[in-house]
mmCIF file of all heavy atoms in Angstrom:
data_model
loop_
_atom_site.group_PDB
_atom_site.id
_atom_site.type_symbol
_atom_site.label_atom_id
_atom_site.label_comp_id
_atom_site.label_asym_id
_atom_site.label_seq_id
_atom_site.Cartn_x
_atom_site.Cartn_y
_atom_site.Cartn_z
ATOM 1 N N LYS A 4 0.170 8.128 2.379
ATOM 2 C CA LYS A 4 -0.286 9.523 2.211
ATOM 3 C C LYS A 4 0.633 10.454 2.994
ATOM 4 O O LYS A 4 0.921 10.236 4.163
ATOM 5 C CB LYS A 4 -1.754 9.708 2.590
ATOM 6 C CG LYS A 4 -2.175 9.376 3.987
ATOM 7 C CD LYS A 4 -3.675 9.703 4.133
ATOM 8 C CE LYS A 4 -4.139 9.554 5.563
ATOM 9 N NZ LYS A 4 -5.568 9.878 5.725
ATOM 10 N N ASN A 15 8.542 27.965 9.412
ATOM 11 C CA ASN A 15 9.092 29.095 10.167
ATOM 12 C C ASN A 15 8.717 30.418 9.515
ATOM 13 O O ASN A 15 8.438 30.474 8.312
ATOM 14 C CB ASN A 15 10.618 28.986 10.280
ATOM 15 C CG ASN A 15 11.298 28.882 8.925
ATOM 16 O OD1 ASN A 15 11.500 27.780 8.425
ATOM 17 N ND2 ASN A 15 11.636 30.015 8.318
ATOM 18 N N ASN A 19 14.546 36.822 5.553
ATOM 19 C CA ASN A 19 15.414 36.638 4.398
ATOM 20 C C ASN A 19 16.608 35.755 4.715
ATOM 21 O O ASN A 19 17.434 36.103 5.535
ATOM 22 C CB ASN A 19 15.882 38.000 3.878
ATOM 23 C CG ASN A 19 15.062 38.436 2.693
ATOM 24 O OD1 ASN A 19 14.529 37.566 1.975
ATOM 25 N ND2 ASN A 19 14.939 39.734 2.489
ATOM 26 N N LEU A 21 17.060 32.827 6.271
ATOM 27 C CA LEU A 21 17.202 32.343 7.646
ATOM 28 C C LEU A 21 18.245 31.230 7.729
ATOM 29 O O LEU A 21 18.220 30.277 6.960
ATOM 30 C CB LEU A 21 15.857 31.780 8.135
ATOM 31 C CG LEU A 21 15.896 31.120 9.524
ATOM 32 C CD1 LEU A 21 15.990 32.163 10.618
ATOM 33 C CD2 LEU A 21 14.682 30.232 9.735
ATOM 34 N N TYR A 45 -1.285 11.267 8.175
ATOM 35 C CA TYR A 45 -0.293 11.777 7.226
ATOM 36 C C TYR A 45 1.111 11.749 7.820
ATOM 37 O O TYR A 45 1.297 11.952 9.011
ATOM 38 C CB TYR A 45 -0.631 13.215 6.822
ATOM 39 C CG TYR A 45 -1.865 13.321 5.970
ATOM 40 C CD1 TYR A 45 -3.102 13.564 6.554
ATOM 41 C CD2 TYR A 45 -1.799 13.153 4.592
ATOM 42 C CE1 TYR A 45 -4.259 13.641 5.786
ATOM 43 C CE2 TYR A 45 -2.946 13.227 3.815
ATOM 44 C CZ TYR A 45 -4.170 13.478 4.415
ATOM 45 O OH TYR A 45 -5.311 13.549 3.646
ATOM 46 N N ILE A 82 6.028 15.633 16.459
ATOM 47 C CA ILE A 82 5.941 15.648 14.994
ATOM 48 C C ILE A 82 7.230 15.091 14.395
ATOM 49 O O ILE A 82 8.320 15.639 14.632
ATOM 50 C CB ILE A 82 5.764 17.098 14.455
ATOM 51 C CG1 ILE A 82 4.625 17.824 15.157
ATOM 52 C CG2 ILE A 82 5.614 17.090 12.936
ATOM 53 C CD1 ILE A 82 3.263 17.238 14.944
ATOM 54 N N LYS A 112 12.731 17.422 -9.202
ATOM 55 C CA LYS A 112 13.641 16.350 -8.778
ATOM 56 C C LYS A 112 13.473 15.915 -7.312
ATOM 57 O O LYS A 112 13.352 14.710 -7.024
ATOM 58 C CB LYS A 112 15.083 16.814 -9.019
ATOM 59 C CG LYS A 112 16.168 15.831 -8.612
ATOM 60 C CD LYS A 112 16.328 14.729 -9.632
ATOM 61 C CE LYS A 112 17.404 13.737 -9.212
ATOM 62 N NZ LYS A 112 18.752 14.343 -9.219
ATOM 63 N N PRO A 140 5.411 22.078 -8.986
ATOM 64 C CA PRO A 140 5.896 20.693 -9.107
ATOM 65 C C PRO A 140 4.943 19.677 -8.472
ATOM 66 O O PRO A 140 4.809 18.561 -8.977
ATOM 67 C CB PRO A 140 7.246 20.707 -8.375
ATOM 68 C CG PRO A 140 7.252 21.946 -7.545
ATOM 69 C CD PRO A 140 6.354 22.918 -8.229
ATOM 70 N N MET A 146 -0.279 15.697 -7.330
ATOM 71 C CA MET A 146 -0.713 15.930 -5.947
ATOM 72 C C MET A 146 -1.707 17.072 -5.907
ATOM 73 O O MET A 146 -1.774 17.893 -6.808
ATOM 74 C CB MET A 146 0.481 16.382 -5.095
ATOM 75 C CG MET A 146 1.471 15.317 -4.864
ATOM 76 S SD MET A 146 2.914 16.050 -4.065
ATOM 77 C CE MET A 146 4.052 14.734 -4.403
ATOM 78 N N ALA A 180 -5.692 21.693 7.956
ATOM 79 C CA ALA A 180 -5.939 20.424 8.647
ATOM 80 C C ALA A 180 -7.411 20.306 9.035
ATOM 81 O O ALA A 180 -8.018 19.229 8.915
ATOM 82 C CB ALA A 180 -5.047 20.322 9.890
#
Side-chain angles (χ1 to χ4, degrees):
K4 60 178 187 179
N15 56 270
N19 261 333
L21 175 74
Y45 291 94
I82 309 296
K112 179 78 181 293
M146 290 172 197

